[in-house]
Amino acid sequence: MRSDAMAKRNALVAAARHLYADRGPDVPFTAIAAEAGVGIATLYRHFPTRSDLIVGIIEQVHAEILDCTTRCGEEWDSHPAGSWLRFVRALADLRLGALIPQLALTALAETPPEEAVRLRGRALGAVGRVLDLAKTAGFLRREITAVEFSLGLAIITRPLPAIPFSDVPSDRSWLIDAFVRGVRPD
Amino acid sequence: MRSDAMAKRNALVAAARHLYADRGPDVPFTAIAAEAGVGIATLYRHFPTRSDLIVGIIEQVHAEILDCTTRCGEEWDSHPAGSWLRFVRALADLRLGALIPQLALTALAETPPEEAVRLRGRALGAVGRVLDLAKTAGFLRREITAVEFSLGLAIITRPLPAIPFSDVPSDRSWLIDAFVRGVRPD
DNA sequence: CTTAAGTGGAGGATAATCCTCCACTTAAGC
DNA sequence: GCTTAAGTGGAGGATTATCCTCCACTTAAG
């Protein structure tokens, strides 16, 4: 693949991820191409279908999740409590919630992209290993599974549509902290 | 208003509320009319614009919120802890989250319907009064506001699109319970 | 310099919803 | 019953939006 083509491919994934989070699952292809600063034909060349594009995003997110779990595993022994909090916050920062409708889309596609399913499985496994550490350390109730935990975090970081009531807080770190406290054993 | 007209109006609000929760903010008018078992003309007669329909839903939800706060206030003195838990769960059962995109829609409308703004204010006030009881009783951190609390509950009860991974749990009461624990003072 | 990979964006094809219009139905009062 | 005005259904033209192909043009890389 030519180097300029690769750069544009990456720009497209980034643009798509950003717009999906911002505007929901129906962003027109033209908007994604425009955001990436390329023509529509380029988008179609790299990602013939929406599914292909979403798989591209999932690959990127998958790599970031593995980063989080790896870093957490390395830090764990020296500062378990700090590691745990950082891990949850880092996972929250990935804004997994923005992907919820996209995951639904891929899963509902005629041909469920097995690449996406594989990556999902690996990410859940890695998160599960961190959760085991947390359970042993007493930071997390034993009955909470990796799917539940990740989905919970995704739900509370899911982007809201713009709600122009001035009193609606945009910062959600208090909710994430409440989540961390709420999943602790009594 | 003729009695049959009134019945159809109510059916339309119920149908719209149900479909909005199920299918998101873009449900076509034809689907709402069909769900309510009436013709499109009837929908347009009662609710000339989408905003009117949404205000209708908000009126219904508003009444239900006041029910919750009133009941909670009456029970409070005999069983504070039980009242509090029931209140939060009842509020969660209203699935306020399903309204999030609709609220955004009304607020973004050219003419923000002041009726909706008024009802929102009253509901927030009533919830705030219950939260004050809870703060005094030590169930809730003092710094959490009525808007934050309601939004938090809305966020965690917001409907997910259908995600056909068999391991995704549909029950969310564990999240609500974690929320209740998470908002307690240390 | 050559050339094949890569690109842009106009525009026809397709799809979906909106919302009006008017002949028909029915509740409710007499 | 009968009258009548409120209420109703749903077909279909108007409008809007996105999809996705096509081909002449550009450019990286040897």
Side-chain angles (χ1 to χ4, degrees), chain B residues 2 39 41-42 45:
Chain B
R2 244 164 65 173
T42 306
R45 158 180 289 268

Side-chain angles (χ1 to χ4, degrees), chain A residues 3-177:
Chain A
S3 67
D4 58 339
M6 195 57 173
K8 285 182 178 172
R9 202 196 124 97
N10 291 340
L12 280 166
V13 172
R17 189 172 172 185
H18 177 227
L19 284 183
Y20 272 133
D22 251 31
R23 304 225 246 134
D26 297 323
V27 209
F29 280 9
T30 52
I32 297 173
E35 169 87 9
V38 306
I40 314 187
T42 307
L43 173 49
Y44 277 101
R45 158 180 291 269
H46 290 297
F47 306 99
T49 71
R50 230 172 238 278
S51 263
D52 296 319
L53 186 53
I54 292 168
V55 170
I57 298 175
I58 289 176
E59 280 166 353
Q60 203 177 81
V61 173
H62 170 255
E64 292 171 4
I65 292 176
L66 291 195
D67 272 359
C68 289
T69 59
T70 306
R71 180 169 327 117
C72 183
E74 288 165 356
E75 295 177 344
W76 193 267
D77 289 326
S78 37
H79 315 283
S83 277
W84 171 240
L85 197 56
R86 262 195 301 283
F87 171 73
V88 179
R89 287 186 179 156
L91 214 54
D93 281 343
L94 295 186
R95 314 197 120 273
L96 298 178
L99 286 175
I100 286 179
Q102 282 68 51
L103 289 173
L105 278 184
T106 51
L108 287 167
E110 330 65 76
T111 316
E114 66 182 70
E115 174 74 358
V117 176
R118 226 193 69 237
L119 293 177
R120 192 184 103 105
R122 294 217 318 202
L124 279 177
V127 169
R129 257 164 273 131
V130 173
L131 297 194
D132 284 341
L133 292 176
K135 285 173 183 175
T136 304
F139 301 146
L140 181 66
R141 322 188 130 232
R142 292 218 94 86
E143 71 267 23
I144 295 181
T145 67
V147 180
E148 286 175 335
F149 186 85
S150 315
L151 185 64
L153 219 39
I155 286 173
I156 67 181
T157 60
R158 185 167 168 203
L160 290 175
I163 299 184
F165 282 116
S166 57
D167 58 356
V168 171
S170 61
D171 176 48
R172 251 186 269 178
S173 52
W174 73 275
L175 234 193
I176 293 160
D177 291 342

Side-chain angles (χ1 to χ4, degrees), chain B residues 123-155:
Chain B
L124 280 177
V127 170
R129 257 163 272 134
V130 172
L131 297 194
D132 284 341
L133 292 177
K135 286 173 183 174
T136 303
F139 301 146
L140 181 66
R141 319 188 132 233
R142 292 219 93 86
E143 71 266 24
I144 295 180
T145 65
V147 179
E148 285 175 335
F149 187 86
S150 315
L151 184 64
L153 220 39
I155 286 173

